[in-house]
Amino acid sequence: MAVQPKKRLGDMLLEAGVLTQEQLEKTLAEKQQHLKLGDALLERGYITEQQLIEVLEVQLGIERVSLYRYPFDTNLFTLIPKEDAQRKLIIPLKKEGDKLYVAMNDPMDFYTIEDLRLSTGFDIRPVISTKDDIIRSINKYYETEEGFEELRIEETQEVSAQELTDMESPIIRLVNQLLSAASSQRASDIHIDPQETKVLVRIRVDGVLRTERVLPKHIQAMLTARIKILANIDITEQRIPQDGRIKINVDYKPIDLRVSTLPTVYGEKIVLRILDLSSSLNDIQTLGFNRLNLQRFQSMIEKPTGIVLITGPTGSGKSSTLYAALNKLNSEDVNIITVEDPVEYQLEGINQIQVNANVGLTFAKGLRAILRQDPNIIMVGEIRDQETAEVAIRASLTGHLVLSTIHTNDSLSTVTRLFDMGVEPFLIASSLSGVVAQRLVRKVCRDCAEKHEASVSEKEIFAKRGIKIETVYKGRGCTSCNMTGYKGRIAIHEVLMIDEAMRNIILNRESFSKLREVAIKNKTIFLIDDGLLKVKQGITTTEEIMRVAIE
């Protein structure tokens, strides 16, 4: 019998039609030596984990299992220690006679299978599951409730420092579990909310908060103390808000957390902001700019002088866009200095200053000091007042490129906001290069997206903006998106280029509607238009766009 030649993963994905030849070649050329092809393709977002698993399932003839609501036999967890399960991405499912079924992220990992056979004595039968599914299950089912009883005993006693720093202590395990669960679900924030009889742990995933766990009230003091120790803030002070930072390794990868405490009537509420260092250093190409907008944005930041403002509410991805722009401009022949509050991501080759109100180092003061440091490009975290606005604008007039953020609803109202702050029209007209307004919307989950006919009201919304639509995509809800139908987020943008006609309108303080007319004449793509075009491409849904963009 002729032996079938072993197919390579790239060829299998090409055959299945989930990958193009160009994407495959690009990935193979750019990927690092130690990275597997599958992981490299996932990282670039060319395929989803579900698609990869489907191809492997057909090719290897290994069954695929969804662990969402899987009836685990928790007695089997003693066979594989938690550390091994996390490191190798495996979890035991069931045993039948001398066979042990194990869910694996990589069923081709024969070393792990052989290790398991030797350590457990069973005949190992691998099945495939997604990485997120396995991590979520390990966090959920391994030793979850264990430890609360041990903690109850100490309720009456004072919590010892030893207890809060001893790595085997149940409270430490609990904090690590919470961080691990949040990180594996790609959460942006963890909220620890004390209530009268319990403590709620909520996480924000793709901009939406949901309850992750409910903890008993008696462990609140220890939980708070542990997080404060990690963040290096005063444990004894409970009456005033405090801030700190934590750098920690969770599931073998480094994460950076910004911690903020707030005294409430039921104790201190803690919010941990997860700064995912890998996702922040985006390439401008991956931010979701439409072709015309990308071209306009790049031409604005490539000018040697002028001021470029990025606007939007809190949590609309302004920092990511700023950092992506700095990343593009960062080379050894320019001096880039930033003044931020707080410094979220540390960038190599860029001088970053942290605002410190206690010693009088404000945005305006920091900016004045920067100007004496011979900079080419300056980034100001936020323009909050007239003083900062004027120093930033004067810096851009003296031959520097200034990037900053400001809080307004859209690009045009940024100009009126600067007027309101008391900045002179001639200063605005001569310095402003452009404004980018942006919002984040959730993306339809690629694994469960289904085509639907557009509803009558959807067709009306599109027709109003002069766009025709027949079909839209919506997520059905699956294990990889936690049954929400959405996975990941993308930005929608409005890029306003300031041209001569606009400068004249600003100089003469003419009406807002005149600015709008010129913007429309210049083919500016407004937020809602960019959003609706992304709905048409099947990236997001009309509901998401209407949630963030108003006509």
Side-chain angles (χ1 to χ4, degrees), residues 173-433:
R173 287 208 304 267
L174 172 67
V175 171
N176 290 349
Q177 268 171 29
L178 296 177
L179 294 178
S180 179
S183 150
S184 69
Q185 292 178 58
R186 284 181 294 280
S188 59
D189 302 84
I190 307 171
H191 290 239
I192 294 170
D193 289 340
Q195 313 223 319
E196 194 171 359
T197 55
K198 58 186 184 238
V199 179
L200 283 187
V201 177
R202 297 189 295 165
I203 61 174
R204 190 182 289 283
V205 179
D206 291 340
V208 182
L209 263 179
R210 64 155 193 266
T211 303
E212 171 72 6
R213 284 178 80 168
V214 180
L215 301 173
K217 183 76 176 170
H218 68 261
I219 68 169
Q220 181 184 326
M222 295 182 72
L223 185 60
T224 310
R226 172 62 188 157
I227 292 172
K228 284 179 159 184
I229 283 179
L230 284 174
N232 212 352
I233 52 188
D234 187 355
I235 299 191
T236 55
E237 183 54 78
Q238 296 170 3
R239 299 158 304 173
I240 56 170
Q242 298 187 79
D243 292 301
R245 281 190 93 124
I246 300 177
K247 275 194 157 87
I248 193 171
N249 278 326
V250 171
D251 296 339
Y252 306 98
K253 64 171 197 263
I255 57 171
D256 209 349
L257 302 151
R258 231 173 51 217
V259 182
S260 155
T261 72
L262 184 73
T264 69
V265 282
Y266 296 125
E268 286 175 284
K269 172 180 164 76
I270 300 179
V271 176
L272 302 128
R273 184 79 189 272
I274 301 176
L275 306 172
D276 183 0
L277 303 174
S278 55
S279 69
S280 67
L281 296 180
N282 273 326
D283 179 4
I284 287 190
Q285 312 282 348
T286 60
L287 291 177
F289 275 103
N290 146 327
R291 235 195 0 257
L292 175 67
N293 280 347
L294 179 65
Q295 195 186 330
R296 288 181 168 180
F297 182 53
Q298 284 187 327
S299 74
M300 287 187 320
I301 62 171
E302 279 161 5
K303 286 183 185 160
T305 63
I307 185 164
V308 177
L309 293 173
I310 297 180
T311 163
T314 313
S316 56
K318 299 189 294 291
S319 301
S320 296
T321 306
L322 270 182
Y323 282 122
L326 288 180
N327 221 21
K328 182 170 172 59
L329 300 168
N330 190 5
S331 64
E332 62 180 45
D333 50 4
V334 291
N335 177 17
I336 303 180
I337 308 183
T338 76
V339 51
E340 307 168 57
D341 179 25
V343 173
E344 288 192 12
Y345 303 101
Q346 276 120 14
L347 302 181
E348 209 172 315
I350 291 180
N351 312 285
Q352 294 167 287
I353 303 170
Q354 165 89 43
V355 167
N356 185 346
N358 300 336
V359 294
L361 176 54
T362 58
F363 276 124
K365 265 215 172 116
L367 246 175
R368 286 199 180 90
I370 288 176
L371 289 174
R372 295 192 283 276
Q373 291 272 326
D374 179 35
N376 300 89
I377 298 165
I378 300 168
M379 191 264 266
V380 185
E382 191 185 332
I383 290 180
R384 296 177 186 165
D385 51 42
Q386 182 183 356
E387 190 186 11
T388 313
E390 285 189 346
V391 182
I393 285 174
R394 286 181 199 280
S396 69
L397 291 174
T398 53
H400 305 91
L401 172 66
V402 180
L403 304 173
S404 186
T405 70
I406 190 166
H407 283 287
T408 55
N409 286 333
D410 57 17
S411 55
L412 290 165
S413 55
T414 305
V415 177
T416 28
R417 177 92 180 86
L418 289 169
F419 281 155
D420 295 344
M421 277 184 180
V423 182
E424 292 296 337
F426 72 89
L427 284 176
I428 302 173
S430 47
S431 65
L432 196 60
S433 300

